[in-house]
C-alpha cells in the first residue's frame, strides 16, 4: 500500500516515480511539490495555474496542462513537468517606493539588516535603492568622479539649496565591507542575469550613501498630468502666480547661480546655448519643493585660461545685468519661461508644461539668482564681511577634506607612462574657478549700491548692448562603450567650448595636466596642512564626545537598574582600545553594547572621560 508508511493524519505526497497513475493525479488530497514547498491542487484551475506559470520552460505543444492531458503524457514527460514545477520560483524584489520613507540618520545604518535592494537604470552609472528595516530607505551610488559629486553637494548645502544629503564610505572600511557584502548577498538571490550589485560596486573603492528622496523630475511632467500639476502649483492662466509658484521660480534662480559656481551646463538654460535638462530638476512629493540633484562640479583649471576667461566673462555679464536692473526682465533669464512653456524637445524630448509664467515669473527667477549671489558673496545675513560667504579658503578646505578622505586610494608612486589612473574627479575640483565666479558675483552686487545705478525699472530694454553669445559646447570624443544616456551625462566632462573665433577648446584637463595634478596631490599628502591635521583631530574629538554621551546614557540606565535589581558591574578581563569601542558594530563579543566604557583601560578611561572609573560610577 503506497500510504502504509504514512500516519493516518499525514497527507500523501506525489511519488517521484513516473508515470503517475490516474488515481493519484485525480486525488485532491495529494501533495504536489510546487515552487519548493508541498501543496494540494484541489481544483482544476489550481492544477492548470501551476503549470501555466512555467511559461516557456515547457513545450508549447504540451499546453495547456490539464489533469487529463497530464495523464496522457509519457513517464519522462511527466517527470520533466514535475521537476520544472518543483523548482523554487526565482527571487523577485521590487523596491516599494510608495511604502518607504527616508532613513534620517545616514551615519548609523545597520547594513546587516538590509531588507532588499534594486538597481535603477536611470542615470549614467545607476542608483541602488536600498530598503532597510521599519520601511526606511537610502540610495547608493558609486560614480567614477565621486569627489566631484561630493564637492558639489557640499557647496550646495553651504548655499542652503535643498539637495539630498550624502556621505562617502570607503569600501575597504569595516562599514564599507559590511555594506558591500550584505548588498551582494541579497542581490545574489536573483537569477544570474539579473544581478547588478557586484557589477556596479565591485571595482569602485568608494561609494556614496545618499538620502532617499520621494520625488519626481520636471521631465516627468507633461501632457494632461503635467498641465494639471502646473495649474495647481503655478496658478495662471488668467490669474496670478501662486506663492508656491513664485517660490519655485526663485529656487530656479538659485540653481542657476549655483550651476555657474560649479560650471554645470546641464540643468537650466541661461548662459549656455542648450535649452536645458528638466531631468536634473527634481521636486519632492507632497510639498513640491525644488531639489538639486546631479551636483557634480566641472571646474576649469586656471591654466586653461581661454576657456576659463570666456566662461567667466559670460557669468559676469549675466550677474551685472541683473544687479544693475533687477526689475527688468533680461533675456538670459527669460529663457526659463520659454523652457516651461515650450520645453526642450530637441535634445531632451520634453514638450514643456505649456504654461507661460510671464514677466513676473522671469523676475522671480532673477530674484532667486540675486539672493544666491548675495549668499555666495557675503553670506546669508548680508554682513558685508569679506570672510563671509564662499571664500577661496573655505573652498580649499573642502577640497583638502575630500583629499584626506581619499588619500589611501590615490597612487603613491610616480605615474608610469600610458598607465591609466583614477583621480575620482579631484581633477575637476579647482577652488580658484569657484572663487572667481563668486568674485564676479561680489563685484556685480556692488553695482546695486553704486550712486549711478541705472533705474530702468519697468522697462523691457536690455541694460547692455551687444550681449556676448551664449556659451556653446562642441561634443568631443568620449570614452568607448558609452550609450546615448551616458554620452549626454558625460557631455560637460568630454566636451569642447567653442571660442569666439570658432576654435573648439577642451574643458577637460589634458592627460599631461592630470599627471601634474596627481603629482601635486601626492606632494600635498606628504605635507599635511594644518587643516588636514585639524580634520583628523576633529574626528577624534567627535568620537570621544559620542563615547562620553553614550557612557552618560549608559550610566543613567545602570543607575536605574541598580535601584531595581542592584545590578553588579560587569567583570572585565580584557581591555580594548577606543577605536574598537567607539565605532559601529560589531564590537568584541564579551562587550555589553550599552556599557562599552567598562572595557576601556583605566588610563584610556581617564583620558577620554576626564576622571577615574570609581569617580564616574
Amino acid at each position: 500500500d503506497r500510504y502504509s508508511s504514512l500516519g493516518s493524519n499525514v497527507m500523501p505526497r506525489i511519488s517521484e516515480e513516473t508515470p503517475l497513475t490516474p488515481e493519484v493525479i485525480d486525488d485532491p488530497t495529494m501533495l504536489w511539490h510546487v515552487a519548493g514547498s508541498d501543496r494540494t491542487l484541489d481544483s482544476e484551475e489550481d492544477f492548470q495555474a501551476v503549470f501555466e506559470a512555467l511559461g516557456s520552460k515547457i513545450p508549447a505543444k504540451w499546453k495547456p496542462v490539464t489533469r487529463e492531458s497530464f495523464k496522457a503524457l509519457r513517464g519522462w514527460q511527466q517527470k520533466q513537468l514535475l521537476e520544472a514545477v518543483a523548482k523554487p520560483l526565482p527571487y523577485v524584489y521590487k523596491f516599494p517606493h510608495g511604502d518607504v520613507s527616508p532613513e534620517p540618520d545616514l551615519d548609523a545604518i545597520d547594513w546587516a539588516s538590509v531588507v532588499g535592494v534594486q538597481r535603477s537604470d536611470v542615470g549614467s552609472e545607476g542608483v541602488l535603492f536600498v530598503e532597510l528595516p521599519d520601511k526606511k530607505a537610502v540610495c547608493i551610488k558609486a560614480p567614477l568622479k565621486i569627489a566631484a559629486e561630493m564637492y558639489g553637494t557640499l557647496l550646495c548645502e553651504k548655499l542652503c539649496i535643498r539637495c539630498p544629503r550624502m556621505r562617502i564610505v570607503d569600501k575597504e572600511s569595516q562599514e564599507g565591507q559590511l555594506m558591500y557584502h550584505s548588498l551582494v548577498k541579497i542581490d545574489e538571490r536573483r537569477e544570474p542575469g539579473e544581478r547588478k550589485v557586484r557589477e556596479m560596486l565591485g571595482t569602485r573603492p568608494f561609494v556614496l550613501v545618499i538620502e532617499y528622496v520621494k520625488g519626481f523630475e520636471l521631465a516627468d511632467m507633461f501632457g494632461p498630468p503635467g498641465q494639471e500639476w502646473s495649474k495647481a502649483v503655478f496658478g495662471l492662466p488668467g490669474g496670478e502666480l501662486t506663492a508656491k509658484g513664485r517660490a519655485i521660480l526663485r529656487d530656479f534662480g538659485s540653481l542657476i547661480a549655483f550651476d555657474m559656481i560649479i560650471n554645470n551646463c546641464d540643468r537650466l538654460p541661461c548662459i549656455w546655448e542648450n535649452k536645458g535638462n528638466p531631468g536634473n530638476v527634481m521636486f519632492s512629493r507632497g510639498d513640491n519643493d525644488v531639489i538639486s540633484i546631479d551636483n557634480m562640479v566641472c571646474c576649469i583649471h586656471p591654466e586653461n585660461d581661454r576657456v576659463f576667461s570666456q566662461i567667466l566673462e559670460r557669468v559676469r555679464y549675466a550677474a551685472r545685468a541683473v544687479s544693475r536692473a533687477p526689475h527688468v526682465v533680461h533675456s538670459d533669464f527669460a529663457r526659463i519661461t520659454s523652457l516651461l512653456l515650450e520645453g526642450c524637445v530637441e535634445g531632451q524630448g520634453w514638450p514643456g508644461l505649456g504654461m507661460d509664467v510671464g514677466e513676473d515669473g522671469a523676475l522671480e527667477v532673477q530674484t532667486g539668482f540675486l539672493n544666491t549671489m548675495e549668499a555666495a558673496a557675503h553670506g546669508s545675513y548680508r554682513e558685508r564681511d569679506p570672510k563671509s560667504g564662499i571664500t577661496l579658503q573655505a573652498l580649499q578646505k573642502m577640497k583638502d577634506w575630500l583629499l584626506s578622505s581619499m588619500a589611501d586610494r590615490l597612487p603613491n608612486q610616480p605615474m608610469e607612462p600610458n598607465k591609466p589612473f583614477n583621480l575620482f574627479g579631484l581633477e575637476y575640483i579647482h577652488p580658484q574657478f569657484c572663487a572667481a565666479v563668486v568674485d564676479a558675483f561680489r563685484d556685480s552686487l556692488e553695482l546695486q549700491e553704486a550712486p549711478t545705478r541705472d533705474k530702468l525699472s519697468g522697462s523691457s530694454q536690455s541694460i547692455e548692448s551687444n550681449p556676448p553669445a551664449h556659451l556653446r559646447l562642441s561634443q568631443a570624443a568620449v570614452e568607448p562603450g558609452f550609450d546615448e544616456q551616458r554620452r549626454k551625462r558625460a557631455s560637460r566632462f568630454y566636451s569642447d567650448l567653442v571660442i569666439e573665433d570658432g576654435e573648439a577648446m577642451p574643458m577637460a584637463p589634458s592627460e599631461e595636466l592630470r599627471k601634474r595634478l596627481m603629482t601635486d596631490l601626492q606632494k600635498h599628502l606628504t605635507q599635511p596642512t594644518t587643516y588636514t591635521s585639524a580634520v583628523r583631530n576633529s574626528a577624534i574629538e567627535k568620537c570621544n564626545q559620542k563615547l562620553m554621551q553614550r557612557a552618560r546614557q549608559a550610566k543613567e540606565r545602570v543607575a536605574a537598574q541598580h535601584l531595581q535589581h542592584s545590578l553588579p558591574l560587569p567583570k572585565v578581563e580584557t581591555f580594548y582600545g577606543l577605536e574598537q569601542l567607539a565605532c559601529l558594530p560589531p564590537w568584541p563579543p564579551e562587550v555589553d553594547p550599552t556599557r562599552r566604557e567598562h572595557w576601556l583601560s583605566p588610563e584610556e578611561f581617564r583620558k577620554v572621560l576626564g576622571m577615574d572609573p570609581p569617580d564616574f560610577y
Side-chain angles (χ1 to χ4, degrees):
D1 185 344
R2 60 190 176 92
Y3 302 141
S4 59
S5 61
L6 301 175
S8 59
N9 294 325
V10 178
M11 300 178 72
R13 187 174 184 275
I14 286 291
S15 171
E16 295 181 359
E17 296 182 4
T18 55
L20 302 178
T21 66
E23 293 78 15
V24 168
I25 297 171
D26 287 332
D27 188 345
T29 66
M30 189 67 63
L31 291 174
W32 297 70
H33 199 55
V34 178
S37 61
D38 291 338
R39 57 168 289 193
T40 60
L41 302 178
D42 302 331
S43 66
E44 182 65 25
E45 290 77 11
D46 285 345
F47 189 92
Q48 292 187 35
V50 296
F51 291 102
E52 184 65 27
L54 296 176
S56 61
K57 294 180 180 179
I58 59 176
K61 62 182 180 181
W62 295 2
K63 298 179 182 179
V65 180
T66 65
R67 290 187 194 271
E68 292 304 315
S69 67
F70 192 90
K71 296 174 188 176
L73 295 175
R74 296 180 179 179
W76 66 269
Q77 293 172 319
Q78 289 185 356
K79 187 175 184 65
Q80 184 174 332
L81 284 178
L82 291 174
E83 290 175 349
V85 83
K87 290 182 179 179
L89 293 174
Y91 172 75
V92 177
Y93 172 81
K94 186 175 182 179
F95 183 81
H97 287 280
D99 299 329
V100 296
S101 59
E103 166 59 49
D105 189 355
L106 299 183
D107 294 310
I109 297 173
D110 182 6
W111 296 107
S113 62
V114 168
V115 175
V117 59
Q118 181 181 2
R119 174 170 175 165
S120 167
D121 289 324
V122 175
S124 61
E125 296 175 291
V127 177
L128 293 178
F129 293 111
V130 181
E131 183 184 353
L132 303 170
D134 301 322
K135 292 297 181 180
K136 300 298 182 184
V138 294
C139 297
I140 301 290
K141 283 178 67 175
L144 279 171
K145 298 176 177 62
I146 191 169
E149 183 148 348
M150 189 70 212
Y151 193 82
T153 297
L154 293 173
L155 268 174
C156 199
E157 291 175 343
K158 191 170 181 65
L159 290 170
C160 299
I161 296 173
R162 185 175 175 183
C163 62
R165 294 174 294 116
M166 65 176 65
R167 66 185 184 94
I168 291 181
V169 175
D170 187 331
K171 208 178 71 185
E172 294 303 315
S173 68
Q174 181 181 11
E175 180 188 8
Q177 284 292 291
L178 179 59
M179 174 204 302
Y180 175 70
H181 290 297
S182 296
L183 294 176
V184 167
K185 181 179 179 181
I186 201 165
D187 186 53
E188 289 189 346
R189 297 178 186 175
R190 292 184 167 92
E191 295 290 295
E194 298 177 358
R195 298 169 186 171
K196 304 290 185 182
V197 173
R198 190 183 296 275
E199 175 188 0
M200 180 175 165
L201 304 182
T203 61
R204 302 295 170 89
F206 300 100
V207 297
L208 289 175
V209 180
I210 306 173
E211 175 189 11
Y212 172 72
V213 177
K214 285 195 165 191
F216 58 93
E217 297 172 357
L218 180 59
D220 297 330
M221 294 293 102
F222 59 90
Q227 293 169 5
E228 182 179 347
W229 174 81
S230 59
K231 182 179 179 180
V233 172
F234 290 99
L236 307 178
E240 294 185 352
L241 276 169
T242 64
K244 184 63 181 181
R246 292 179 183 276
I248 288 173
L249 293 167
R250 287 195 295 273
D251 287 342
F252 283 179
S254 293
L255 288 180
I256 290 171
F258 169 60
D259 284 341
M260 288 179 179
I261 297 173
I262 67 172
N263 195 35
N264 179 15
C265 61
D266 193 30
R267 195 185 332 253
L268 293 170
C270 183
I271 63 173
W272 293 89
E273 187 181 64
N274 65 62
K275 294 187 177 182
N277 181 0
N280 281 338
V281 181
M282 192 174 189
F283 294 88
S284 58
R285 292 195 182 276
D287 55 14
N288 291 308
D289 283 350
V290 176
I291 302 174
S292 182
I293 60 172
D294 195 11
N295 300 317
M296 200 172 287
V297 299
C298 184
C299 302
I300 306 302
H301 193 279
E303 287 188 15
N304 194 354
D305 54 348
R306 293 182 68 188
V307 172
F308 191 104
S309 60
Q310 181 151 336
I311 292 176
L312 202 60
E313 177 189 357
R314 197 61 184 77
V315 167
R316 190 178 291 112
Y317 171 82
R320 285 180 174 178
V322 176
S323 294
R324 283 177 172 171
H327 304 296
V328 176
V329 175
H330 297 283
S331 59
D332 286 342
F333 298 89
R335 299 180 69 199
I336 304 302
T337 65
S338 298
L339 173 69
L340 297 177
L341 177 63
E342 304 167 357
C344 46
V345 177
E346 183 181 351
Q348 299 297 333
W350 185 58
L353 300 175
M355 174 172 284
D356 185 2
V357 296
E359 288 195 1
D360 280 354
L363 291 175
E364 293 291 353
V365 175
Q366 292 177 188
T367 298
F369 179 73
L370 275 171
N371 291 344
T372 301
M373 282 176 58
E374 181 74 39
H378 301 298
S380 300
Y381 301 102
R382 302 180 66 89
E383 300 102 331
R384 293 297 177 187
D385 183 345
K387 294 184 180 180
S388 298
I390 296 177
T391 64
L392 178 59
Q393 182 183 19
L395 291 163
Q396 187 61 51
K397 281 184 177 181
M398 286 193 291
K399 183 174 182 179
D400 286 346
W401 175 79
L402 278 171
L403 181 57
S404 64
S405 301
M406 299 180 163
D408 294 341
R409 296 287 179 268
L410 291 170
N412 56 13
Q413 300 295 329
M415 302 310 303
E416 299 178 16
N418 302 321
K419 183 178 180 180
F421 59 97
N422 188 2
L423 290 177
F424 309 116
L426 287 165
E427 70 271 35
Y428 290 97
I429 302 175
H430 301 302
Q432 301 95 323
F433 176 86
C434 299
V437 174
V438 175
D439 286 342
F441 289 169
R442 191 175 290 113
D443 294 343
S444 299
L445 288 167
E446 296 301 322
L447 298 174
Q448 284 187 298
E449 300 177 353
T452 58
R453 176 185 169 191
D454 199 323
K455 300 180 185 272
L456 291 178
S457 178
S459 168
S460 61
Q461 299 298 316
S462 173
I463 194 67
E464 293 187 21
S465 59
N466 301 321
H470 293 117
L471 299 170
R472 181 162 62 92
L473 293 180
S474 173
Q475 187 72 52
V478 298
E479 295 175 0
F482 271 39
D483 57 28
E484 185 60 27
Q485 188 179 48
R486 294 184 69 196
R487 188 179 301 277
K488 289 179 181 178
R489 173 71 167 74
S491 62
R492 53 187 143 142
F493 297 103
Y494 300 97
S495 293
D496 297 339
L497 181 69
V498 178
I499 308 298
E500 297 94 331
D501 56 8
E503 181 182 358
M505 298 289 293
M507 294 204 300
S510 64
E511 194 64 20
E512 178 185 352
L513 179 56
R514 289 183 78 246
K515 289 181 179 179
R516 282 199 286 114
L517 288 172
M518 182 69 257
T519 302
D520 292 342
L521 292 175
Q522 290 170 338
K523 290 179 180 178
H524 190 72
L525 289 171
T526 58
Q527 300 174 351
T529 63
T530 302
Y531 175 73
T532 303
S533 300
V535 168
R536 294 191 179 116
N537 293 336
S538 174
I540 294 172
E541 178 63 23
K542 287 180 180 179
C543 206
N544 289 344
Q545 290 175 358
K546 283 185 178 180
L547 182 60
M548 290 180 68
Q549 181 183 8
R550 291 172 182 173
R552 292 190 189 100
Q553 293 171 346
K555 181 181 178 182
E556 293 172 359
R557 289 194 296 270
V558 170
Q561 291 172 346
H562 268 291
L563 291 175
Q564 296 180 10
H565 308 292
S566 299
L567 182 68
L569 296 177
K571 295 181 180 180
V572 178
E573 299 179 355
T574 304
F575 294 120
Y576 295 96
L578 179 64
E579 68 278 5
Q580 294 175 279
L581 299 172
C583 61
L584 294 170
W587 300 292
E590 69 271 28
V591 172
D592 181 346
T594 65
R595 298 191 287 169
R596 283 174 280 155
E597 75 280 0
H598 288 280
W599 278 265
L600 286 170
S601 68
E603 296 78 11
E604 191 87 341
F605 194 105
R606 194 179 305 112
K607 179 180 177 182
V608 173
L609 299 177
M611 62 184 75
D612 292 318
D615 296 331
F616 186 85
Y617 296 107

